[in-house]
Amino acid sequence: MEAEYLRHGVPLADYQLTWADHGRQHEAVQVHEWVQRHVVQAPRWSDERWEQMRQFLGPPTPAWELQRWRLRLYCGHVIEATRSRKSPRPDGGICDKARCPECGLDPAVIVAFEPLGPVADPPPEKRSRKPSRSTRAPPADRRSKAELVAENEALRAELDALRDQA
């Protein structure tokens, strides 16, 4: 199921910053600075630790699971970005900022956005080519219906004979 993508602040070129945008940008800068101060103090990761993290994160997201967006950043620049197709918004409810490639503002809060379309079409579904029941050869340990019917009749006859003896 594909998300119904939202729009905000369209047309992007005419978007006027709100007090909420200024507040979100100020908060994003404070958080970014706090993280930078603490990352500098953290011990460096070994190559083994980086490899563990790569394995934990798994392979990169395939192109057909990505959505293209046009974003207006706090600095006023309009950029294109790719995000997961699962979310109806480019921030995905998690990251509402980006680094501006034009002026370098980092972080730059996303203030307006519009979807552009998927990065790629999904690959065609692979259909399994299992043979039908009628064309499959029965496994060696399976007996035919005629064999089972014959065995059933023989067992019933044996049961009747035992009942007659009793």
Side-chain angles (χ1 to χ4, degrees):
M1 181 173 91
E2 192 170 308
E4 185 176 326
Y5 300 110
L6 303 175
R7 300 172 184 274
H8 175 71
V10 177
L12 302 182
D14 297 337
Y15 183 80
Q16 298 294 314
L17 293 174
T18 65
W19 285 108
D21 295 332
H22 292 296
R24 287 179 33 240
Q25 178 66 26
H26 178 71
E27 181 181 354
V29 169
Q30 287 181 322
V31 168
H32 182 78
E33 289 171 353
W34 183 90
V35 168
Q36 291 300 316
R37 283 193 308 270
H38 287 81
V39 166
V40 169
Q41 297 171 2
R44 294 191 92 36
W45 279 9
S46 66
D47 290 340
E48 294 83 23
R49 182 73 170 158
W50 280 110
E51 184 57 34
Q52 288 175 341
M53 185 56 69
R54 276 191 282 280
Q55 289 176 1
F56 174 74
L57 293 174
T61 303
W64 63 86
E65 291 183 11
L66 297 173
Q67 171 75 6
R68 292 181 321 118
W69 293 88
R70 184 171 292 123
L71 309 174
R72 175 157 178 165
L73 303 177
Y74 180 79
C75 58
H77 293 115
V78 176
I79 65 168
E80 280 192 23
T82 57
R83 302 288 194 267
S84 171
R85 288 181 75 174
K86 296 175 184 172
S87 176
R89 301 173 51 98
D91 56 18
I94 298 170
C95 183
D96 67 343
K97 51 196 158 295
R99 181 185 182 282
C100 180
E102 294 186 38
C103 69
L105 181 62
D106 186 18
V109 171
I110 299 168
V111 295
F113 52 86
E114 64 182 337
L116 296 176
V119 170
D121 291 328
E125 289 186 28
K126 293 181 182 177
R127 293 189 173 196
S128 63
R129 306 249 343 157
K130 289 183 182 176
S132 67
R133 236 184 197 176
S134 61
T135 60
R136 264 189 298 203
D141 64 338
R142 293 192 62 180
R143 296 179 282 174
S144 69
K145 184 177 179 181
E147 291 171 323
L148 292 171
V149 167
E151 183 182 0
N152 188 16
E153 288 175 1
L155 289 170
R156 285 187 188 277
E158 186 180 339
L159 181 62
D160 287 341
L162 287 172
R163 282 187 185 147
D164 288 342
Q165 287 178 358

